[in-house]
Amino acid sequence: MKALTKHRLFWPATALITLLVVNTVANPNFAKVTVQDGQLYGNPINILRESAPLMLVALGMTIVIATRGIDLSVGAVMAVSGAVALTIIDRADDSNRVTVVAIAIVVAVLVALVLGVWNGFLVSVLGIQPIIATLVLMLAGRGAALLITDGFITTVNSDPLSYIASGYLLILPFAFFVWVAAVVIVGLVERRTALGMLTEAVGINPEASRLAGVRSRGIVWSAYVLSGTLAGIAGVIYASNIKAADANAAGYLIELYAILAVVLGGTSLMGGKFSIAGTVIGVLTVQALDSAILFLGVPPAQSPVFFAAVVILVVLLQSPRVHRWGRSLGSSVRRTPQEAPPEVDDDRDADRAENVQKEAVR
Amino acid sequence: MLADTDVPPVVEMRGITIRFPGVLALDHVDFFLRPGEVHSLMGENGAGKSTLIKALTGVYQIDSGTIAVDGQARRFETTADAQRAGISTVYQEVNLCSNLSVGENVMLGHEPRGRFGIDWNGVHREAERHLTSLGLELDTRSMLSSHSIAIQQLVAIARAMVLDCSVLILDEPTSSLDRGEVEQLFSVIRDLRDKGVAILFVSHFLEQVYEISDRITVLRNGQLVGEHLIDDLPRDALVTEMIGRELGDLAALSKNADREIDRTGTPVLRASGVSRRGVLQASDIDVYDGEVVGIAGLLGSGRTELVRMLYGADRADAGTIEVDGREARMHAPRHAIGHKIAFSSENRREEGVVADLTVAENMILGLQAQRGWLKPVPKAERDAIVAEYMDALGVRPADPTLPVGNLSGGNQQKVLLARWLATAPELLILDEPTRGIDVGAKADIQRKVAELSEQGLSVIFISSELEEVLRIAQRVVVMRDRGQIGTLDSSDVDIDALIDYIANSEEGSVTR
Amino acid sequence: MTAVETAQPERRTLTGALGTFTSRHAAVLPTIAAVAILIVLLVGAQMYFGNFLTARNMSALLLDNAYLMVLAVGMTFVIVTAGIDLSVGSVMAFTGIFGASLLASGVPLVIALPAMLVSGAAIGLLIGVLVQYFNVQPFIASLAGLFLGRGLAFVVSLSSIRVEDPALLWLQSTRFRLGDWYITPTGIIAIVAVVIGALVMHFTRFGRTVYAVGGSAQSARLMGLNVARTTVMVYVISGLCGGLAGLVLTAYSGAGYPRNGIGTELDVIAVVVIGGTLLTGGRGYVLGSMIGVFVYGTIKTIISFMGAEQSWTHIIVGGLLLLFIVVQRAIVARSERGS
């Protein structure tokens, strides 16, 4: 039992399950699943389907955060990718042809990949702080997306395109399979090769990793490329869902929701150790919360208030000061043995931790 | 001027105890500081020097004990409290704001104000006055960052003067200064002492301590060992008090230095004229098969800078590096690793271990980096490597799944040694591998280095403990003032001769 | 004790003077670059269009960007401490719609105005406390502020609220004229905010502590400065400016609208950086940020003169931002090598 509560996914999973249970008790419709023509429908299925864009973005964000970075440009990249895909389909003679849609998607994702390359270049080659480097594209990206769509919201009617977000494969939505595939592929690449460990090493201690011979430039760069590419796919799914390329609304605030999901999943914003399973739980939590707010009858536009509360709650739970309060509260109840004592030879540790903190902020 | 013990102390610290989780950092330490004296606080890493200073400056809160300044009991919650009581500190890493002007750094928080806020002319006038009183002529409107560390340190002292301090704490102020700069600093210190300021001085350099101090307090493992007038405490007695054992306690180990080395062939590594402007003057070093070459020199002598350039961690401006007789390009650590050179940094925490990764992951990190991310070290191989080195080096606790950050310094060092040995290097560069670790781990590491070199591994070994260098290395490269001054055969010199060589090949220096 | 000569020998040569200048005023260089860019833009536009540098046009430049200028003042404080505030756009939207709804329900401006400022400052206070006392990274803390502001704006009203209050409309409709030049009370508010901001930064101990914290928070603490209060205060100031910008924008558009200021935080950060403030903290000027706003406004005006897509503004500003960031990075890298 103790081993269970110590597991790093214990609290994220508990939060998600609690959220689901409370909502189901409050409103049984929340968990209602129906079968229609051999396909599953209902709110839980919707959550799985609608998670797709956030899941893809958060997946890339997890790896970027593990390198001590952040990618603020994902929303803008989604907008660009959606704009590219729909503009190609819109200009084609027959927007219902599968090949047209396939080409459009490939081109859109390639463009997103190039944007990821660009971000990675600024961070890993020029050494610009990630938050600043990705700010450039965050600012300019939507402008570019608007230019691609000539400032309009491009709408298309294309069955193959609609299928991506709304279609079913066997009994479940196709979009669900897209994100599951992405999670599995990224998980395999990170954990079956040494990439995951090297990424964590670079994120925890870049200088030690450099001296150990780790080629951190490539590792950091690849994280941004991955993030850009996944955001590109997310952009296509988003556009498919609304059957339009809306450069202003596509991926609006998604970078913030993605960061929230990653943190909810137990990956520290300070970089280093990351958990893909945690991110999956985090995204489902965000999506379930969104859905719960809707069930409460709150207008979607007001939901940011709830998320603000969640963000504040989560960062408070992670803050050292609250931990100290918790410890002093706990130790007054029962004397727990202290964990591994710090080394004596380092009374400068406190300052150093502060520097690390500052570093990360920048 | 020698302070009289009868003068009432300006600072009285009694029974100071500070506890960190699981560690007693200070254990009922008494410390007295009198006006008009330079008082050195001595001790090895972990003795509690910094902790004591931080207790006095309000950075740390004391768990028990009393602090009195000018006979008044005080409780410092912040640095500002201590400053108000007349206690100022100049730290090793200059704690000023390099983005502001010299004058502003002197006066920050104490700027003269007119009707419309800060009176800038007044600021610079005041700053100039304080700097001049220290014998400094600076453009107070220039940015602090445009000046050398030495000047910045003096600016920090000028700032302390603004606060009208009666106690000035100098925490390793000389570690990055050259000889002339130290002279300048010392003349300022003497001047302040003569004005009646109580000065607490911390330095790793014995020579400087003996040159400037009137009195010495020695700490060891968080406890007070003794307080002495400088004349009553010869150097060997001081060293004994600091390390708590006679020198040469480890001498029972086989004397690796006496082993004969065949130097007829091509050296594994030969560097000539390696230099970098403002960092390292042209230095030479060569290492043969199975040889241990020590580098002796004080902190800041250029020893770390030299090996970092050999390893490609920093770039040299000039000079050539040959590996096995062929010129090699060392622009990044992985170039050196490609030539089978390994380097373990003196800065274990920041440049060595990856704290949150496990012991096992840290051990294979070097090997994994070499193979690239696509070829993960197979589990069986990894387990074999980890088991071998856990055992051979005696890593404790013997659990490879622990985060390495939870291990003690000595065991972290062993993990780093394992990381490099796993890559089967031909040349191993160890920068201060035995610093700040316990005697047992120290002996383990020395023994392992001797054993490996006997098996043919070449080693460059840096240590502040000259005795250790002389015992392990067959030859010693001696460095001073950011450059090499000679290479000696270990069998030709003893420790006194080596100290003499480091200290005295130049006249009128700060060192004795 | 002998005086040690450390100052450069006085030599009245060009290089000597240049050396003195760079050793004293290197921090001003980016702002000078911003001024140069502004001049090139204005002169270039005048030569191209022939009717660009008119009193009308230049007066409109201030009028149209008054809210941005107010936000930039607060953001400069935050960025100089090496922080960042992503919440300003939504704080502006929230205080704007909040004020509009108060006025619509008959509350007089003398009460509505302080209410707007206080609610903006309160969100700033929340961010500051999270950053300072709970070690939350500024962009995460201000992200909570962003969510909160935007959500609250929609809680106040899901659609826009027209403002009929004569006092508020007066702020926008009044034009103090000097020949063809004019300025509105909103413009005066923006200029006053800039002047007060600049004076506080330069002539108060608080202002200097802001710079010290940005240079090195740890040093500032060890120097005995009140870092905690300063850090919290800069976010409060930024929130306050958000409230004031809410007022200015509501007056400008004659309505409160919960979707106002989406993405404005990015524009504000961009103009502050273009104005010469270092994103890594410790260097920057409120007056520089004002120049940054003018550069931004001029680019926008040029684009509308050309009849091109307004989305070009963000692309060009993004490009300028990139240019400044890369140059800043190069400067920092050089000073790191130098030391």
Side-chain angles (χ1 to χ4, degrees):
Chain A
M1 183 64 200
K2 180 134 192 194
L4 186 67
T5 59
K6 281 269 180 223
H7 195 278
R8 58 187 300 183
L9 293 183
F10 176 77
W11 291 112
T14 309
L16 175 59
I17 292 166
T18 312
L19 183 66
L20 295 177
V21 169
V22 167
N23 274 295
T24 309
V25 171
N27 186 344
N29 278 337
F30 188 84
K32 199 172 162 199
V33 177
T34 54
V35 185
Q36 231 178 320
D37 304 335
Q39 294 170 345
L40 298 178
Y41 291 90
N43 189 50
I45 305 302
N46 273 340
I47 291 178
L48 292 182
R49 185 178 74 86
E50 287 164 5
S51 305
L54 183 60
M55 187 69 78
L56 295 170
V57 168
L59 193 57
M61 190 71 82
T62 306
I63 308 300
V64 171
I65 286 177
T67 67
R68 274 195 187 184
I70 198 88
D71 186 352
L72 294 181
S73 72
V74 283
V77 172
M78 276 178 69
V80 171
S81 136
V84 169
L86 267 72
T87 305
I88 292 175
I89 297 172
D90 189 39
R91 303 240 169 104
D93 300 334
D94 181 3
S95 61
N96 275 324
R97 263 180 42 207
V98 177
T99 45
V100 168
V101 174
I103 289 169
I105 291 172
V106 168
V107 173
V109 173
L110 279 179
V111 169
L113 183 145
V114 170
L115 295 178
V117 170
W118 165 254
N119 280 332
F121 172 77
L122 291 182
V123 174
S124 67
V125 179
L126 297 190
I128 297 169
Q129 300 128 9
I131 183 170
I132 298 167
T134 53
L135 198 63
V136 174
L137 207 50
M138 187 187 189
L139 184 66
R142 285 189 194 281
L146 275 168
L147 279 188
I148 294 169
T149 60
D150 286 334
F152 298 110
I153 297 177
T154 306
T155 51
V156 296
N157 278 316
S158 162
D159 293 337
L161 183 72
S162 303
Y163 176 80
I164 296 169
S166 319
Y168 270 71
L169 184 66
L170 304 173
I171 59 167
L172 287 166
F174 178 73
F176 168 71
F177 291 100
V178 172
W179 73 250
V180 169
V183 166
V184 169
I185 291 170
V186 173
L188 284 179
V189 170
E190 294 287 340
R191 294 304 184 194
R192 290 288 162 215
T193 71
L195 187 60
M197 185 192 94
L198 294 177
T199 303
E200 290 179 339
V202 169
I204 297 165
N205 193 335
E207 182 58 14
S209 304
R210 183 178 82 99
L211 290 177
V214 178
R215 294 174 184 234
S216 56
R217 176 176 292 178
I219 288 170
V220 172
W221 202 334
S222 69
Y224 288 89
V225 175
L226 176 72
S227 176
T229 309
L230 289 172
I233 302 173
V236 171
I237 295 177
Y238 179 88
S240 149
N241 196 33
I242 62 167
K243 300 182 177 59
D246 183 344
N248 285 316
Y252 171 60
L253 288 188
I254 200 164
E255 57 278 351
L256 307 181
Y257 286 104
I259 293 167
L260 175 61
V262 172
V263 175
L264 278 176
T267 298
S268 161
L269 278 172
M270 306 290 289
K273 288 286 201 184
F274 66 90
S275 165
I276 289 174
T279 296
V280 173
I281 293 175
V283 169
L284 293 177
T285 308
V286 169
Q287 208 67 42
L289 190 62
D290 201 37
S291 160
I293 293 168
L294 214 63
F295 265 71
L296 282 175
V298 176
Q302 294 173 2
S303 69
V305 177
F306 290 84
F307 283 103
V310 173
V311 172
I312 292 171
L313 188 71
V314 170
V315 294
L316 285 183
L317 286 177
Q318 291 190 345
S319 99
R321 183 176 291 255
V322 174
H323 285 185
R324 273 201 301 281
W325 290 347
R327 261 203 302 278
S328 61
L329 205 67
S331 65
S332 66
V333 179
R334 62 193 147 78
R335 287 266 159 210
T336 46
Q338 293 285 357
E339 283 178 22
E343 248 178 277
V344 202
D345 75 1
D346 254 328
D347 29 24
R348 295 214 162 103
D349 259 9
D351 303 343
R352 209 166 278 150
E354 197 168 298
N355 286 339
V356 169
Q357 177 91 10
K358 188 162 176 180
E359 189 87 349
V361 172
R362 292 169 168 191
Chain B
M1 177 168 137
L2 200 62
D4 189 343
T5 313
D6 297 336
V7 178
V10 54
V11 171
E12 292 175 73
M13 302 176 81
R14 290 180 196 274
I16 303 296
T17 301
I18 291 185
R19 221 173 258 110
F20 293 129
V23 172
L24 199 55
L26 285 179
D27 183 8
H28 294 92
V29 172
D30 297 339
F31 179 73
F32 306 99
L33 193 57
R34 296 163 187 82
E37 72 170 1
V38 177
H39 193 142
S40 282
L41 190 56
M42 301 294 290
E44 287 198 302
N45 282 317
K49 289 173 304 194
S50 299
T51 314
L52 187 70
I53 289 176
K54 290 192 170 165
L56 182 56
T57 53
V59 178
Y60 291 157
Q61 307 301 305
I62 53 176
D63 292 324
S64 69
T66 57
I67 299 176
V69 180
D70 289 325
Q72 261 192 316
R74 302 276 191 165
R75 186 144 198 110
F76 300 139
E77 311 237 318
T78 65
T79 334
D81 289 345
Q83 284 180 4
R84 272 192 289 275
I87 298 171
S88 288
T89 315
V90 175
Y91 295 92
Q92 174 186 7
E93 320 87 27
V94 183
N95 278 288
L96 295 176
C97 294
S98 56
N99 58 320
L100 300 176
S101 72
V102 168
E104 198 170 0
N105 269 294
V106 174
M107 301 303 297
L108 204 58
H110 307 272
E111 300 95 339
R113 285 184 285 195
R115 192 180 309 171
F116 304 104
I118 294 171
D119 165 17
W120 282 103
N121 287 326
V123 167
H124 290 290
R125 213 169 34 239
E126 279 285 288
E128 205 170 326
R129 192 168 63 74
H130 287 287
L131 289 166
T132 315
S133 77
L134 298 182
L136 275 171
E137 285 171 17
L138 291 178
D139 175 7
T140 59
R141 289 173 201 269
S142 58
M143 300 282 278
L144 185 73
S145 55
S146 65
H147 298 281
S148 69
I149 298 288
I151 297 295
Q152 296 189 19
Q153 223 132 30
L154 293 171
V155 170
I157 295 179
R159 175 176 175 78
M161 296 299 98
V162 174
L163 307 176
D164 221 8
C165 70
S166 53
V167 176
L168 179 61
I169 300 171
L170 298 165
D171 187 2
E172 294 197 37
T174 55
S175 53
S176 47
L177 306 194
D178 67 27
R179 195 184 314 277
E181 293 167 336
V182 171
E183 289 272 23
Q184 191 176 355
L185 177 70
F186 278 9
S187 80
V188 167
I189 292 177
R190 288 196 190 94
D191 204 46
L192 293 173
R193 177 192 64 188
D194 295 345
K195 287 176 184 159
V197 177
I199 291 160
L200 173 53
F201 183 76
V202 177
S203 170
H204 281 313
F205 304 121
L206 291 190
E207 294 81 2
Q208 295 177 0
V209 167
Y210 274 88
E211 188 191 340
I212 192 78
S213 312
D214 302 309
R215 201 185 297 271
I216 293 182
T217 289
V218 184
L219 298 181
R220 187 173 71 232
N221 294 332
Q223 291 177 324
L224 175 69
V225 182
E227 191 204 76
H228 310 272
L229 286 174
I230 191 89
D231 293 339
D232 300 345
L233 188 68
R235 278 175 194 227
D236 48 350
L238 170 62
V239 173
T240 310
E241 284 203 352
M242 284 167 66
I243 62 180
R245 59 191 138 83
E246 293 295 330
L247 271 175
D249 206 24
L250 294 163
L253 288 174
S254 71
K255 200 160 183 250
N256 191 47
D258 294 340
R259 197 155 48 79
E260 283 296 321
I261 301 297
D262 173 21
R263 297 200 185 89
T264 50
T266 325
V268 175
L269 177 121
R270 166 177 285 156
S272 30
V274 174
S275 70
R276 184 179 164 134
R277 212 163 58 87
V279 176
L280 184 72
Q281 291 157 18
S283 302
D284 307 334
I285 188 169
D286 55 355
V287 195
Y288 289 84
D289 265 339
E291 184 181 30
V292 181
V293 174
I295 300 184
L298 302 172
L299 213 61
S301 60
R303 53 188 199 189
T304 297
E305 290 76 3
L306 171 62
V307 291
R308 284 181 66 91
M309 285 174 206
L310 296 183
Y311 184 65
D314 295 324
R315 279 202 204 184
D317 288 341
T320 56
I321 298 172
E322 286 171 25
V323 178
D324 293 325
R326 268 200 301 276
E327 189 166 339
R329 202 173 61 113
M330 299 289 182
H331 286 177
R334 56 196 163 72
H335 297 156
I337 293 168
H339 290 294
K340 297 213 155 285
I341 298 174
F343 167 69
S344 167
S345 161
E346 62 172 340
N347 200 338
R348 203 162 45 228
R349 269 168 189 268
E350 277 149 47
E351 298 177 355
V353 294
V354 181
D356 293 346
L357 289 188
T358 65
V359 169
E361 285 172 323
N362 267 282
M363 280 186 175
I364 61 153
L365 184 61
L367 189 63
Q368 185 63 67
Q370 235 175 342
R371 294 196 185 168
W373 64 275
L374 268 175
K375 290 189 215 114
V377 177
K379 191 170 182 318
E381 185 185 352
R382 164 186 170 142
D383 290 347
I385 290 172
V386 170
E388 181 190 342
Y389 289 109
M390 294 292 283
D391 187 49
L393 296 167
V395 179
R396 294 286 173 276
D399 178 1
T401 63
L402 283 179
V404 80
N406 289 6
L407 271 57
S408 72
N411 283 297
Q412 290 184 0
Q413 191 64 51
K414 290 175 185 174
V415 171
L416 290 179
L417 201 54
R419 175 191 293 170
W420 290 118
L421 294 179
T423 64
E426 283 166 10
L427 170 65
L428 181 59
I429 302 173
L430 298 172
D431 191 359
E432 291 267 31
T434 59
R435 186 171 72 181
I437 69 178
D438 63 84
V439 179
K442 200 178 250 185
D444 284 347
I445 287 171
Q446 291 184 6
R447 200 177 298 119
K448 192 73 191 173
V449 169
E451 184 189 313
L452 289 164
S453 67
E454 258 169 69
Q455 293 162 9
L457 178 70
S458 306
V459 179
I460 294 177
F461 192 93
I462 298 181
S463 173
S464 291
E465 293 182 32
L466 300 180
E467 186 263 350
E468 181 180 65
V469 174
L470 281 178
R471 190 151 27 76
I472 290 180
Q474 287 89 26
R475 282 186 302 155
V476 180
V477 170
V478 185
M479 301 192 68
R480 190 187 58 211
D481 288 349
R482 308 193 172 111
Q484 179 208 25
I485 55 173
T487 304
L488 306 174
D489 257 333
S490 298
S491 40
D492 297 345
V493 287
D494 63 5
I495 187 157
D496 294 326
L498 185 55
I499 288 177
D500 197 51
Y501 193 82
I502 292 173
N504 295 332
S505 355
E506 200 178 86
E507 76 301 324
S509 62
V510 172
T511 48
R512 10 178 196 195
Chain C
M1 193 165 95
T2 53
V4 185
E5 192 180 13
T6 41
Q8 297 288 326
E10 287 289 322
R11 230 185 296 148
R12 289 269 155 245
T13 59
L14 188 62
T15 52
L18 200 68
T20 310
F21 180 82
T22 50
S23 81
R24 285 183 176 185
H25 304 296
V28 197
L29 289 176
T31 304
I32 293 174
V35 173
I37 289 175
L38 180 60
I39 292 172
V40 167
L41 282 174
L42 290 175
V43 171
Q46 173 63 22
M47 280 159 63
Y48 187 81
F49 300 112
N51 59 346
F52 194 83
L53 278 177
T54 60
R56 232 180 108 83
N57 220 359
M58 293 301 100
S59 303
L61 200 57
L62 176 62
L63 174 67
D64 292 341
N65 297 292
Y67 73 98
L68 197 61
M69 202 175 285
V70 173
L71 291 178
V73 172
M75 186 68 85
T76 309
F77 278 83
V78 174
I79 293 184
V80 169
T81 64
I84 202 149
D85 187 354
L86 297 177
S87 74
V88 291
S90 66
V91 168
M92 175 176 73
F94 164 54
T95 56
I97 189 101
F98 181 51
S101 95
L102 284 181
L103 293 171
S105 57
V107 177
L109 187 62
V110 283
I111 297 174
L113 173 59
M116 292 166 80
L117 297 183
V118 167
S119 54
I123 294 180
L125 179 67
L126 172 76
I127 297 170
V129 167
L130 286 176
V131 169
Q132 177 58 38
Y133 295 104
F134 295 96
N135 282 5
V136 181
Q137 299 174 24
F139 89 94
I140 295 290
S142 61
L143 145 67
L146 185 161
F147 277 141
L148 190 63
R150 187 61 64 195
L152 288 176
F154 283 108
V155 170
V156 172
S157 167
L158 289 171
S159 56
S160 72
I161 300 177
R162 276 188 61 80
V163 175
E164 316 279 357
D165 185 271
L168 188 65
L169 294 177
W170 175 85
L171 291 175
Q172 179 61 25
S173 53
T174 312
R175 309 222 158 164
F176 303 109
R177 290 182 185 279
L178 184 72
D180 278 345
W181 293 81
Y182 68 87
I183 188 167
T184 59
T186 51
I188 294 173
I189 290 175
I191 296 291
V192 168
V194 168
V195 170
I196 292 178
L199 291 178
V200 167
M201 285 288 256
H202 195 64
F203 285 109
T204 66
R205 287 188 182 168
F206 165 75
R208 302 321 291 172
T209 307
V210 169
Y211 282 95
V213 170
S216 162
Q218 196 196 339
S219 291
R221 198 170 297 122
L222 291 172
M223 287 164 103
L225 304 173
N226 196 332
V227 173
R229 194 184 58 199
T230 306
T231 306
V232 174
M233 270 307 288
V234 295
Y235 290 95
V236 172
I237 289 173
S238 182
L240 195 68
C241 287
L244 194 59
L247 175 84
V248 170
L249 187 64
T250 306
Y252 178 75
S253 55
Y257 183 46
R259 286 189 187 280
N260 270 340
I262 287 180
T264 299
E265 59 278 352
L266 300 180
D267 293 339
V268 178
I269 294 168
V271 299
V272 169
V273 172
I274 290 170
T277 299
L278 223 58
L279 268 168
T280 45
R283 288 181 183 182
Y285 301 96
V286 172
L287 289 175
S289 300
M290 183 181 74
I291 302 294
V293 172
F294 284 135
V295 169
Y296 176 91
T298 305
I299 291 172
K300 230 171 152 167
T301 313
I302 290 174
I303 286 166
S304 66
F305 259 64
M306 293 171 71
E309 279 291 335
Q310 265 311 323
S311 35
W312 275 109
T313 310
H314 279 133
I315 296 176
I316 293 169
V317 170
L320 270 183
L321 179 66
L322 175 71
L323 184 74
F324 270 75
I325 288 169
V326 172
V327 170
Q328 285 181 2
R329 171 69 203 157
I331 291 170
V332 170
R334 219 179 63 188
S335 70
E336 271 168 8
R337 259 209 312 280
S339 65

